[in-house]
Amino acid sequence: MTNISRRLIGVLIVLISPYALFGQVLSLEEAVKTTLSNYPSLSAAQSALEAVRENAQVIKDNRLPNVRLHDQINVGTANGLSGSYFSMGLIVPTSGGRRSENSMDLASGNIALATADWEVFNFGRFQAEDRLARADIIVGESAVENEKFGIRQTVINTYLDLLWLRQTLKIEERNLARVDTVRRIIINLVHNGIRPGLDSSLATVEYSRAKLNYFQMQQELQRAFIQLATLTGRPVKGLEIDTTFQQQALLMQPFDIKLNADHPLLRYRSNLVNRQNTEVELIRKSALPRVSVLTSAWARGTSLDIDNNFGPIGSGFGYSRTNFLVGVAATVNLTDFHRIKNRTQLQQWRVKQARSLLETQQIQLQNTLTTSDSVMATVRLALMELPTALNSAERAYQQRLSLYNNGIENILGLTDALQLLTTVEKQSVNIQRSAVDVRLQRAYATSNFDDFFALFRR
């Protein structure tokens, strides 16, 4: 490779990928931890959980006795008339004697009122409400864990994309260097009349194609860096991933792990089933009678005397009569028993839906685990075959290059050897990626990431 070519590649790396020179190294586990500490969707889920917790206290507050104090001073007419009516909240009640004529004389009055009512017993509805509130909190907590689990998967996938893109970029860089070397050799041979001019044109085309592939890979790498920066909340120019990768660990048999009910996805679905079942009980309790304690005391004054004569207005502003009342009331709405039948049936369908989603999630996770275990042996065989394939492709390229220099091989054969070597190198990255994806699938299915994270620890 000439000095000019080396400088060209160096300039491309500096201009298109400044992360490598100025980046802050971020490991996979640190990326996950950083994202979980500040990602907006997780904050939203946590806020929703706090709202559910606060709602449990609101439910308790609603059970406190209703205690009302009221006092009013009035001035108006007092013309009474026999007859009954529904006030409907619109007709102002008037307390006064009956007269043969309508009088517009004014009377004053004063009334103070204190009432209290307290629902003290309802055959277990309060307890059912508390159980539903606790079930909502448990569902909210598992929803937060579920959100964390999903964010972790997103960060891991983005981080792995960066890792494989970096490796693929190195392959494109090596391919660009090899193509440039071949191009210079061919141009020299063409200038000396040893090779036809067509070889020079083909070599130039291959060199341009290699540069285009390199530029495209740089663009994909930039997009992946931007996505990881968005997830972790770090500036793009200050971000660089740790490329530590224990490739040999992929050849080892991983620990035998099983699907368990404590998986965040299963725990969320299971808690949702319990919550829906709890609401069935509350619906049934809501139609039962309610027993309340009622108390009331009031004092009243008026400017009308005992004979219903109008007195001085000021005489009605004091209190001249007092009363109190204490009682126990039992209330039941008979039509509620019909309503809860339909509401219970509706809720039972929601329970069935939640159970079906739980079973579906269990099947999906079990299939993921079974699939990853079944292909792991095949992937391990492919990993063991990689060194042979890479060495063979490298030797084939060197032999074709030597034969071309000696005039025995043509440009097409040399180009085929170049492309084969690059293809095998990319296939090597893809096989490693498949092996890591299998480990990630096992971690996803079991929510056990210790074995997976060990692949990226120093």
Side-chain angles (χ1 to χ4, degrees), residues 56 109 114 138-139 163 208 250-251 255 296 330 362 406 410:
I138 293 174
V139 170
L163 182 65
S208 296
L250 294 175
L251 299 174
F255 295 112
S296 179
Q362 289 174 328
N406 293 322
N410 58 33

Side-chain angles (χ1 to χ4, degrees), residues 388-404:
T388 301
L390 288 170
N391 291 334
S392 298
E394 178 66 29
R395 287 197 300 269
Y397 163 67
Q398 295 296 338
Q399 290 171 1
R400 289 289 180 92
L401 180 60
S402 177
L403 292 174
Y404 183 85

